[in-house]
Amino acid sequence: MSTPPETPATPPPEQPPTTPLKLPVVAIVGRPNVGKSTLFNRIVGGHNAIVEDQPGVTRDRRYGDADWAGKAFRVVDTGGIDIEAAKASSNTIAQAIVRQAMRAVEEADVVLLVLDAKEGMTPADHQAAEVLRRSGKPVLWVGNKVDGARHEAAAAAELYALGADEVHFVSATHGRGVGDLLDATLVRLTQAVDEVPDLPEPEAERPIRIALVGRPNAGKSSLINRLVGDERVIVDPTPGTTRDPVDTPFTYDDERYVLIDTAGIRKRARVELAMEKIAVAMAEKAMGRADVAILVIDAEAGVSEQEAKIAGLCDAAGCGLVIAFNKRDLVDAETERKLRRDLDRQLQFVPWAKVAYCSAKTGKGVRALLQTAREVYESAGHRVTTGALNRFFEGLVERHPPSVYRGHPIKLYYITQTGTHPPTFVLSVNYPEGVHFSYRRYLANQLRTEFGFEGTPVRIICRRRGGNKS
Ligand code: GDP
Ligand code: GDP
């Protein structure tokens, strides 16, 4: 169980003003000059940090709130050791560090023990490590000042010989390795406390941006007219100063939307081939600004190469996708069967896309189309807790482990969700280049099914543990 941050043995400092109570706490511990403040600044960044002066005991203690992968936690820099005071009271630096470590253990859920990897371990480090080990608190060892790869090997050998089970090498000044350290910290926090709170939602809710894309004559303008003509749709009359002239903001059922229209171009292009090409280019541009694309297809004409191209671009743009077969009023049962075959053959690379049928002419299915686009948007904004993610992930990897890469078994350490719209996951792995595309796709599909990501691409980024992205 965690020790609530409100009840440390030492008097608690004032809470930073904008912070909700009960954030889990990560304490940074270590000798003077190993780089604790630098690491603290790197993690807390521009966020509010408060400084608590405790003359004679420590130089200062700093509290700041960090956010990482959509989660919020508090970081405590346990402060420098006041060397002069320690000497004056005939205490050794080692004793002072031990006290600092004990205090960190009392108030923190996870402790980061910072070491100077260039200098190696000193007796004071050993004592602090021993205190932390005995406490049973989760401790991550941080080998700092690894500004280049060559420092790392020597430092690693020494630290692992001392019984560290997990060392993260970072350069607090350059930021190298800090992302991985934070990923690992979140995993440990999730194990230590029931729930690491999500970051608060942004104040002003954005409207959902929907791009209507597709070939000329599919029925995009008709669909827009049908939508904005609906008596329950309130079109925002304010002239666009910041928005594109083709964007139509409106409200439906208290939900705000912006329609990004690509239909206008048809009127300008005369040659059919040029029109088709321009439609694809317009679609790409619109999808770059949209949360969800509705790919409008003339159901009577069926799926063509253009639509496959647009669907591929949608995946690349990271935008949700609804495939809308329009002109349903013209379609019989036989044509519907053909459309299903078209989906399997020509759009098989976006099996996750939602499919809808509608008729701009009769109005049938048009409101439902909007509803589907909203569901896709919400699904793409879903966040999975790191704990739930890793519980699922372990079973998954056990059932279907990745193949061997150049004679090395591929080790998948853990996974974190780092973003939404589209849902994005970072996978920590020993050989990122060895994780085959098909394995990534397998993981993405499993995540999609388990956590209900519908109608949206799912991204998986493989990152070498302690190294760069791939
Ligand atoms: P603290 O006393 O543990 O809080 O250490 P500081 O953060 O004040 O850092 C002590 C010194 O080490 C400063 O001169 C920093 O610039 C330096 N330092 C911190 N991190 C790094 C790093 O990653 N690489 C190098 N080369 N120097 C660092
Ligand atoms: P856009 O180029 O994609 O904007 O397509 P338009 O909205 O201009 O539609 C092209 C043609 O298809 C027009 O003649 C429309 O009247 C017709 N159309 C659009 N939607 C439907 C529909 O649901 N059913 C039928 N029968 N015709 C439609």
Side-chain angles (χ1 to χ4, degrees):
M1 248 336 276
S2 63
T3 309
E6 291 87 301
T7 55
T10 44
E14 254 180 66
Q15 299 289 335
T18 60
T19 311
L21 298 174
K22 277 281 192 187
L23 288 183
V25 176
V26 175
I28 303 179
V29 170
R31 283 188 293 120
N33 275 322
V34 291
K36 294 184 300 300
S37 318
T38 314
L39 182 64
F40 174 89
N41 291 339
R42 175 72 56 193
I43 296 176
V44 170
H47 298 273
N48 55 326
I50 67 157
V51 174
E52 179 204 30
D53 285 317
Q54 286 189 327
V57 185
T58 55
R59 182 187 64 202
D60 58 28
R61 283 156 70 73
R62 295 195 300 164
Y63 288 73
D65 294 344
D67 60 71
W68 184 251
K71 296 292 180 183
F73 53 92
R74 175 157 306 162
V75 187
V76 184
D77 174 2
T78 52
I81 310 290
D82 187 328
I83 297 172
E84 292 315 310
K87 275 188 194 150
S89 60
S90 76
N91 280 329
T92 61
I93 291 183
Q95 282 169 328
I97 291 170
V98 164
R99 270 204 310 278
Q100 179 202 51
M102 285 164 68
R103 211 173 49 201
V105 164
E106 277 165 21
E107 67 181 309
D109 299 299
V110 170
V111 180
L112 304 183
L113 173 61
V114 183
L115 306 161
D116 184 331
K118 263 192 208 161
E119 217 175 77
M121 295 278 280
T122 67
D125 292 327
H126 283 286
Q127 289 193 24
E130 186 51 26
V131 167
L132 294 173
R133 196 185 58 74
R134 277 202 304 261
S135 77
K137 270 276 146 98
V139 178
L140 292 175
W141 295 40
V142 183
N144 186 34
K145 307 197 186 178
V146 180
D147 304 332
R150 75 197 152 83
H151 296 135
E152 188 168 325
E158 186 185 0
L159 294 176
Y160 284 120
L162 280 164
D165 62 352
E166 189 172 337
V167 183
H168 292 267
F169 291 98
V170 302
S171 167
T173 44
H174 299 155
R176 179 175 191 259
V178 175
D180 289 319
L181 172 65
L182 289 174
D183 282 345
T185 303
L186 262 190
V187 171
R188 293 302 187 96
L189 269 183
T190 313
Q191 291 160 350
V193 301
D194 292 336
E195 188 69 295
V196 183
D198 283 329
L199 278 182
E201 286 294 312
E203 348 58 68
E205 266 197 29
R206 273 193 327 114
I208 304 174
R209 304 179 62 86
I210 301 176
L212 269 179
V213 298
R215 298 172 62 195
N217 288 318
K220 298 181 293 299
S221 320
S222 309
L223 274 174
I224 288 180
N225 290 340
R226 177 56 79 170
L227 269 172
V228 301
D230 187 313
E231 78 277 8
R232 289 171 65 193
V233 169
I234 304 150
V235 178
D236 179 356
T238 44
T241 42
T242 54
R243 67 183 167 86
D244 209 285
V246 297
D247 291 356
T248 312
F250 67 91
T251 306
Y252 178 76
D253 274 354
D254 291 331
E255 209 49 71
R256 288 163 62 219
Y257 299 85
V258 173
L259 270 185
I260 304 171
D261 176 14
T262 58
I265 193 69
R266 182 169 57 96
K267 307 335 181 241
R268 277 176 258 151
R270 297 193 185 280
V271 184
E272 194 169 336
L273 184 66
M275 271 164 49
E276 298 279 357
K277 275 195 179 156
I278 292 168
V280 173
M282 289 283 287
E284 184 173 20
K285 209 169 145 216
M287 290 187 300
R289 302 196 292 127
D291 300 308
V292 182
I294 297 180
L295 172 53
V296 184
I297 302 179
D298 180 340
E300 217 187 8
V303 182
S304 76
E305 201 186 313
Q306 252 74 27
E307 274 106 13
K309 219 180 261 175
I310 293 174
L313 292 169
C314 175
D315 191 6
C319 166
L321 179 60
V322 180
I323 297 170
F325 288 114
N326 186 36
K327 311 197 189 179
R328 189 177 198 176
D329 53 293
L330 302 177
V331 161
D332 56 15
E334 177 51 38
T335 316
E336 258 189 56
R337 276 194 291 278
K338 179 186 165 293
L339 289 176
R340 272 195 283 275
R341 282 199 301 276
D342 281 0
L343 274 177
D344 290 343
R345 280 188 208 142
Q346 279 159 287
L347 296 173
Q348 87 288 0
F349 56 92
V350 285
W352 44 263
K354 294 288 251 183
V355 178
Y357 292 84
C358 61
S359 167
K361 188 173 174 194
T362 67
K364 205 160 179 238
V366 175
R367 278 186 194 170
L369 189 58
L370 200 57
Q371 174 67 24
T372 306
R374 193 172 84 196
E375 283 163 13
V376 166
Y377 174 80
E378 280 165 7
S379 168
H382 180 55
R383 275 189 190 275
V384 185
T385 64
T386 305
L389 199 55
N390 282 281
R391 279 193 293 280
F392 172 68
F393 180 67
E394 275 164 29
L396 195 71
V397 173
E398 233 165 66
R399 284 198 301 280
H400 184 174
S403 49
V404 171
Y405 173 67
R406 294 188 179 161
H408 306 284
I410 293 181
K411 289 196 187 115
L412 307 176
Y413 300 107
Y414 56 85
I415 187 163
T416 341
Q417 185 174 359
T418 55
T420 58
H421 300 288
T424 304
F425 298 87
V426 168
L427 181 60
S428 171
V429 58
N430 56 349
Y431 294 104
E433 67 280 20
V435 181
H436 196 266
F437 166 75
S438 60
Y439 195 76
R440 271 194 224 202
R441 192 175 51 196
Y442 160 75
L443 290 179
N445 286 338
Q446 296 292 318
L447 289 174
R448 198 190 300 286
T449 318
E450 175 71 12
F451 299 108
F453 294 111
E454 292 193 15
T456 168
V458 168
R459 295 266 154 84
I460 296 195
I461 298 165
C462 292
R463 192 188 278 165
R464 188 185 307 282
R465 181 148 90 165
N468 298 323
K469 277 185 197 180
S470 145

